[in-house]
Amino acid sequence: MTAPESAPKSAPKSALGPPIGLLAELTHRCPLQCPYCSNPQELVRRGEELDTAAWIEVFRQARALGVLQLHLSGGEPGARSDLPALVGAARQLGLYSNLITAGVLLDEAALAALAARGLDHVQLSLQAAGAQTADSIGGFREGHARKLAFAAWVRAQGLPLTINVVLHRRNLDDLPALIDLALRLDAHRLELAHSQYYGWALRNRAALLPSRAQVERATALVERARRDLKDRLPIDYVTPDYYARRPKRCMDGWARRVIVVTPRGRALPCHAAETIPDLDFPNVRDSSLESIWRESEAFNRYRGTDWMREPCRSCEFRERDLGGCRCQAFALTGEAARADPVCDLSPDHAALQALAAEAAAADGPPYRYRRFA
Amino acid sequence: MALGEESRPRLQPFVRLQFDARRESWVLQAPERVLLLDESGKTILERCSGSVTVAEIVEGLAAEYDAPREVIAEDVMAVLGLLAERDLLLLDEESQP
Ligand code: SF4
Ligand code: SF4
């Protein structure tokens, strides 16, 4: 019989299980300039990136620690010329590899080489349904056309394809066309994720945040499409935080399932964790992944529920949402240990609602693009 | 397509079944999905070749393990139902002779 890995049958709540996923941010280099990019505002330079052998050692340690799924991400992972070697090593170690790509750097032959090395899955990001809007959001000419060609190569290789779209004010009314496009590209899954506001997105919040009415229309539309397309295209919908009443269980809990490794080798419990300034993140160059996972202060600080203050500490939902997102709490209140202000039980909730209403009503300043090719 | 005794199930090509020594368990992997399987789950899935029907799988297992057909059928449908729901199975009914 089967059990979803997230629900161990008998383990006590406090027992620390093995991580499932490794998000390997191979590089911050990327030809696109998305204004909502989840990379930190201070980007790592090429010369500081871990080399091939160092990454493979990280993969090996991750597998030994229990990681099953490897997400090869960035920046644009296609900017690394050793990508085929990394994919091949992942396969040999028994990791299920997922390439998270913008699809504009790899040509057909490069993709074929990755498939031959055992790549399991491709997740391609689109910025919008039409080329003009898409290229203006991504800040890269001809990007959209290249992405469509790339999607066809993925399917021609027989690889499963997930289309991922970060949603915000400019592309939210594009949803019907985006869903059609995913069907036409023969995607296996469509991931529609509202932008989350830290990193570059926080900087561009006033230009990105949709209005409550726009979000409600979109959500109703997605729910309908999910029902109608149930057997053809599963749709994962990441709901927007700012208009919610309860926070998400972010990353399924701080340091519970995933390890992120940045281009320079810093290990994080979540890709935005570096935005919290007083955490000292260990580096895979200095410590083993096992000791980082089990013993490091940064991974243990917000694990479980012991760190909580009121209102979370005595809240009946604390095991369910684990107090929401630490990075969001920090971004909005300056204190990572407060309840996520998305929660309507948080004393900061009213301020968040006022801020969202104000940002959504503004005309939207021009994007501050993330430039770092 | 609904799962039934006449379906000829097989795993989607991108699904991988492997033994994980760390968890001492069989694991099924797919994009953004990991499922743990016990021995009987694995035995069932190994028979899902796309050329035999669910009914044939059930009968085969019932004979091999000397167990009542209803009990085996329930187990098989539970495992396959879970995978079908998550879009991890292909059910080729039309390939029937
Ligand atoms: S700039 Fe865009 S495509 Fe490049 S890493 Fe950031 S979000 Fe992805
Ligand atoms: S008070 Fe804290 S634990 Fe309770 S629902 Fe809100 S965020 Fe979750």
Side-chain angles (χ1 to χ4, degrees):
Chain A
M1 297 292 240
T2 64
E5 163 63 52
S6 55
K9 275 149 283 175
S10 54
K13 272 180 195 135
S14 56
L16 176 58
I20 292 173
L22 173 69
L23 178 67
E25 292 181 345
L26 299 178
T27 177
H28 279 160
R29 286 171 284 143
C30 180
L32 268 67
Q33 316 176 16
C34 304
Y36 48 74
C37 183
S38 63
N39 287 163
Q41 295 192 23
E42 194 198 316
L43 298 160
V44 171
R45 290 180 192 283
R46 179 183 203 143
E48 302 171 80
E49 291 174 5
L50 294 183
D51 65 14
T52 313
W55 274 118
I56 292 174
E57 176 57 17
V58 171
F59 298 171
R60 196 192 59 73
Q61 291 186 23
R63 184 70 272 273
L65 190 55
V67 166
L68 293 164
Q69 302 218 325
L70 170 66
H71 306 283
L72 298 163
S73 173
E76 169 50 48
R80 292 273 308 210
S81 56
D82 56 356
L83 194 54
L86 296 177
V87 166
R91 183 56 180 253
Q92 275 181 0
L93 289 163
L95 292 162
Y96 191 92
S97 60
N98 172 25
L99 179 71
I100 301 180
T101 179
V104 302
L105 283 187
L106 297 166
D107 62 15
E108 191 170 7
L111 181 69
L114 298 180
R117 296 294 194 110
L119 182 67
D120 289 297
H121 172 240
V122 176
Q123 177 180 319
L124 171 67
S125 64
L126 296 181
Q127 277 61 31
Q132 213 181 353
T133 314
D135 292 345
S136 113
I137 294 168
F140 185 73
R141 282 181 57 190
E142 307 292 321
H144 189 69
R146 288 208 215 177
K147 284 162 183 274
L148 300 188
F150 182 79
W153 299 332
V154 172
R155 297 300 296 120
Q157 286 293 335
L159 288 166
L161 173 69
T162 292
I163 297 290
N164 167 282
V165 188
V166 174
L167 299 175
H168 49 86
R169 187 186 296 179
R170 281 271 302 280
N171 64 6
L172 207 46
D173 294 326
D174 238 14
L175 275 177
L178 277 165
I179 293 169
D180 274 353
L181 182 55
L183 285 167
R184 260 186 291 137
L185 295 175
D186 193 25
H188 287 77
R189 261 175 80 240
L190 173 60
E191 209 173 83
L192 299 168
H194 279 271
S195 176
Q196 294 187 303
Y197 295 99
Y198 31 65
W200 289 86
L202 184 60
R203 216 164 148 182
N204 283 301
R205 183 171 61 191
L208 292 169
L209 194 73
S211 70
R212 186 184 285 270
Q214 200 186 8
V215 165
E216 281 169 2
R217 278 199 307 277
T219 302
L221 196 144
V222 171
E223 274 162 16
R224 215 172 324 122
R226 271 176 130 171
R227 275 198 306 276
D228 295 348
L229 299 174
K230 204 172 146 288
D231 297 320
R232 283 175 70 200
L233 180 70
I235 303 178
D236 280 346
Y237 184 56
V238 180
T239 52
D241 280 334
Y242 279 28
Y243 300 116
R245 290 185 49 234
R246 287 298 146 82
K248 291 197 211 48
R249 183 184 173 106
C250 190
M251 301 296 281
D252 205 25
W254 182 272
R256 269 180 46 114
R257 284 167 66 89
V258 178
I259 302 176
V260 181
V261 176
T262 71
R264 65 154 73 93
R266 287 176 105 187
L268 318 173
C270 126
H271 59 263
E274 277 177 307
T275 59
I276 302 175
D278 67 331
L279 282 168
D280 190 12
F281 293 106
N283 196 298
V284 296
R285 297 183 211 250
D286 317 317
S287 326
S288 74
L289 222 45
E290 168 119 30
S291 76
I292 291 172
W293 179 250
R294 293 183 189 289
E295 287 146 31
S296 70
E297 201 274 329
F299 276 61
N300 280 309
R301 174 99 59 101
Y302 300 115
R303 213 174 226 152
T305 55
D306 287 349
W307 56 272
M308 285 179 174
R309 312 181 192 158
E310 295 300 346
C312 298
R313 174 167 283 277
S314 58
C315 176
E316 60 177 308
F317 304 118
R318 63 174 192 263
E319 293 286 347
R320 196 187 62 187
D321 63 34
L322 295 168
C325 172
R326 296 307 86 226
C327 306
Q328 186 147 266
F330 178 81
L332 292 168
T333 73
E335 277 183 84
R338 290 177 79 83
D340 187 332
V342 165
C343 180
D344 67 1
L345 302 170
S346 147
D348 306 307
H349 185 69
L352 171 64
Q353 286 195 306
L355 175 158
E358 193 186 321
D363 251 350
Y367 291 150
R368 280 183 280 188
Y369 286 106
R370 159 224 201 276
R371 291 216 163 83
F372 199 71
Chain B
M1 210 178 302
L3 172 71
E5 290 233 347
E6 292 315 306
S7 313
R8 294 166 192 270
R10 74 190 148 98
L11 289 174
Q12 291 261 26
F14 51 79
V15 175
R16 227 156 78 196
L17 181 61
Q18 68 190 75
F19 188 76
D20 179 23
R22 187 69 178 63
R23 291 176 180 76
E24 297 176 356
S25 171
W26 289 89
V27 292
L28 202 68
Q29 300 213 68
E32 307 291 336
R33 282 233 150 85
V34 173
L35 295 173
L36 300 188
L37 285 175
D38 65 12
E39 227 21 80
S40 78
K42 179 216 145 213
T43 308
I44 294 166
L45 290 187
E46 274 178 344
R47 296 178 187 226
C48 294
S49 60
S51 55
V52 291
T53 63
V54 172
E56 287 162 351
I57 294 173
V58 169
E59 275 140 32
L61 290 170
E64 191 165 320
Y65 293 92
D66 199 14
R69 191 187 192 283
E70 315 81 71
V71 176
I72 299 280
E74 207 174 295
D75 267 13
V76 169
M77 288 305 269
V79 171
L80 297 185
L82 203 111
L83 297 194
E85 220 172 82
R86 288 166 171 72
D87 201 34
L88 304 178
L89 273 191
L90 292 168
L91 306 168
D92 290 330
E93 271 150 307
E94 56 274 30
S95 63
Q96 250 179 185

